[in-house]
Amino acid sequence: MGIADGLRWIRRWVLRLSALVFVLLLGWVLLYRFIAPPGGLFMLQEYRRLGAIQQDWVPLSQIAPVMARSAVAAEDANFCRHWGFDMSAIRQVIEAGGARGASTISQQTVKNVFLWHGRDWTRKALESGITLLVEATWSKPRIIEVYLNVAEFDEGVFGVQAAAAHYFGTTAAELSPIQAARLAAILPAPKTRNAADPSDFVRRRASSIMDGAAIIARDGRADCLSG
C-alpha cells in the first residue's frame, strides 16, 4: 500500500468513525426527548461525594408556570426566540471584553445532562454541537422541563421539585411567584445563596426576576413555555 492509498484508507475510516459517533450522539439526544435523563456527570460526582442527593423528576405540567418564566427571566430572557445561542448576549459579552458568560438555558441543559462542568475548549465545542442537536430535536417546553429538573439548587439538591420541598416545604406545582423568583435568584451559585433565608442581594435579584417574569409573560417571550 502506497502513501496515497494509506492516507485514503485513514481518511475513509476517520469519516466512518465520525459518522458513527454522530449517529450515536443523535440517538442519545433523541432518547432524552422522550425519557427523563438519569442525571449527568456532575450529579453523579455529587452523589459519590455526598453519599446521597435529592431529586424528584416532575413533568412540566406539574411545575408552576411562574417557575419556568422566572428561570427564563433570570437566565435567558430570549429563550423562546433563539436557536440555542443568544447572539445579542454574545455580542454584548464581546463588547464588554468577555467579563461574563452568555450561556443560554439550552446550553446549560446540555452541560448538565450530557457533559462535565469546566471551561476547557473540548467541552465548549461539544456543548455547541449538542446544543444544536437538542434545539433541532426537542421542543422548547421539553428543554425547560429538563433544565428545571436537573439544575442544582443547593448542595445535593437537584431539580425544582426537590428544591421546593427543601427550601419552602411545598411542591413545584404550588410555588408562589416570590418563591419561584427566589429559586431562580440563587442560580447559578446555589451553594453560596439561600432561597429560604435570602441575602439582600438575593432579595433584590428576586424582585428583579419577578418583574422580568411578568414582562416576558406580557410581551410574548414566554409563549413557547406552554407548548
Side-chain angles (χ1 to χ4, degrees):
M1 179 184 294
I3 294 177
D5 290 335
L7 291 174
R8 281 195 293 270
W9 183 87
I10 292 173
R11 184 170 60 249
R12 183 166 59 248
W13 278 102
V14 168
L15 290 174
R16 288 176 179 176
L17 181 60
S18 298
L20 177 61
V21 170
F22 175 79
V23 169
L24 291 175
L25 184 58
L26 179 60
W28 191 14
V29 170
L30 285 172
L31 179 66
Y32 287 168
R33 176 184 176 182
F34 301 104
I35 70 169
L41 287 177
F42 179 69
M43 196 181 296
L44 177 60
Q45 290 170 350
E46 289 296 274
Y47 175 80
R48 288 177 173 174
R49 183 176 70 87
L50 300 170
I53 59 173
Q54 300 174 50
Q55 189 207 27
D56 296 299
W57 182 281
V58 286
L60 190 60
S61 61
Q62 294 178 28
I63 300 174
V66 71
M67 183 67 239
R69 292 196 299 270
S70 296
V72 168
E75 296 289 297
D76 186 6
N78 292 317
F79 173 71
C80 289
R81 296 182 176 179
H82 63 61
W83 42 273
F85 305 92
D86 189 338
M87 302 311 296
S88 175
I90 291 173
R91 283 194 296 271
Q92 291 176 13
V93 169
I94 293 173
E95 291 170 359
R100 61 181 180 84
S103 291
T104 62
I105 283 177
S106 302
Q107 290 174 276
Q108 293 178 50
T109 302
V110 165
K111 178 185 68 176
N112 289 335
V113 172
F114 297 99
L115 301 171
W116 61 96
H117 286 206
R119 296 181 178 275
D120 56 283
W121 286 104
T122 300
R123 189 194 66 76
K124 291 300 292 184
L126 287 170
E127 178 187 292
S128 297
I130 300 174
T131 295
L132 292 174
L133 287 178
V134 165
E135 282 280 345
T137 56
W138 295 10
S139 66
K140 289 288 189 177
R142 178 58 174 174
I143 295 173
I144 195 69
E145 177 182 64
V146 173
Y147 172 76
L148 289 174
N149 274 286
V150 300
E152 183 188 26
F153 286 92
D154 197 358
E155 186 172 56
V157 179
F158 293 88
V160 66
Q161 179 79 345
H166 175 71
Y167 285 113
F168 305 118
T170 188
T171 66
E174 298 297 324
L175 285 168
S176 68
I178 184 59
Q179 290 171 336
R182 286 186 178 177
L183 287 179
I186 65 175
L187 302 173
K191 288 186 175 73
T192 60
R193 302 173 186 174
N194 190 310
D197 184 21
S199 63
D200 289 341
F201 170 81
V202 170
R203 289 181 185 276
R204 291 193 300 269
R205 179 165 163 76
S207 178
S208 176
I209 289 170
M210 286 183 66
D211 291 341
I215 290 170
I216 65 172
R218 290 195 302 267
D219 68 17
R221 282 182 292 167
D223 288 353
C224 75
L225 300 179
S226 58

Coordinates of all heavy atoms in Angstrom, one line a residue, residues 88-94 96-103 119:
S88 N -27.3 38.2 20.5 CA -27.3 39.5 21.1 C -26.5 39.5 22.4 O -25.7 40.4 22.6 CB -28.7 40.0 21.3 OG -28.7 41.2 22.0
A89 N -26.7 38.5 23.2 CA -26.0 38.5 24.5 C -24.5 38.2 24.3 O -23.6 38.7 24.9 CB -26.6 37.3 25.4
I90 N -24.2 37.4 23.3 CA -22.8 37.1 22.9 C -22.1 38.4 22.5 O -21.0 38.6 22.9 CB -22.7 36.0 21.9 CG1 -23.2 34.6 22.4 CG2 -21.3 35.9 21.3 CD1 -23.3 33.5 21.4
R91 N -22.8 39.1 21.6 CA -22.2 40.4 21.2 C -21.9 41.3 22.3 O -20.9 42.0 22.4 CB -23.1 41.1 20.1 CG -23.0 40.4 18.8 CD -23.7 41.3 17.7 NE -25.1 41.5 17.9 CZ -26.0 40.7 17.4 NH1 -25.6 39.7 16.7 NH2 -27.3 40.9 17.7
Q92 N -22.8 41.4 23.3 CA -22.7 42.3 24.5 C -21.5 41.8 25.3 O -20.7 42.6 25.8 CB -23.9 42.2 25.3 CG -25.1 42.9 24.7 CD -26.4 42.8 25.5 OE1 -26.3 42.4 26.7 NE2 -27.5 43.1 24.9
V93 N -21.3 40.5 25.4 CA -20.1 40.0 26.2 C -18.8 40.4 25.5 O -17.9 40.8 26.1 CB -20.2 38.4 26.3 CG1 -18.9 37.9 26.8 CG2 -21.4 38.1 27.2
I94 N -18.8 40.2 24.1 CA -17.6 40.6 23.4 C -17.3 42.0 23.5 O -16.1 42.4 23.8 CB -17.8 40.2 21.9 CG1 -17.9 38.7 21.7 CG2 -16.6 40.8 21.1 CD1 -18.2 38.2 20.4
A96 N -18.1 43.9 26.0 CA -17.7 44.2 27.4 C -16.3 43.5 27.7 O -15.9 43.6 28.8 CB -18.7 43.7 28.3
G97 N -15.7 42.9 26.7 CA -14.4 42.3 27.0 C -14.4 40.9 27.5 O -13.5 40.4 28.0
G98 N -15.6 40.2 27.4 CA -15.7 38.8 27.8 C -15.7 38.6 29.3 O -15.2 37.6 29.8
A99 N -16.1 39.6 30.1 CA -16.0 39.5 31.5 C -17.1 38.6 32.1 O -17.0 38.2 33.3 CB -16.2 40.9 32.1
R100 N -18.2 38.3 31.4 CA -19.2 37.4 32.0 C -19.7 36.4 30.9 O -19.4 36.6 29.7 CB -20.4 38.2 32.4 CG -21.1 39.0 31.3 CD -22.3 39.9 31.8 NE -22.9 40.6 30.7 CZ -23.8 40.1 29.9 NH1 -24.2 38.9 30.0 NH2 -24.4 40.9 29.0
G101 N -20.4 35.4 31.3 CA -20.8 34.4 30.4 C -22.1 34.8 29.7 O -22.8 35.7 30.0
A102 N -22.4 34.0 28.6 CA -23.7 34.2 27.9 C -24.3 32.9 27.6 O -25.0 32.8 26.5 CB -23.4 35.0 26.6
S103 N -24.2 31.9 28.4 CA -24.8 30.6 28.2 C -26.3 30.7 28.3 O -26.9 31.2 29.2 CB -24.3 29.6 29.2 OG -22.9 29.3 29.0
R119 N -14.3 24.7 31.9 CA -14.2 25.7 30.9 C -13.3 25.4 29.8 O -12.9 26.3 29.0 CB -13.7 27.0 31.6 CG -14.6 27.6 32.7 CD -14.1 28.9 33.3 NE -15.0 29.4 34.3 CZ -16.0 30.2 34.0 NH1 -16.3 30.6 32.7 NH2 -16.8 30.7 34.9

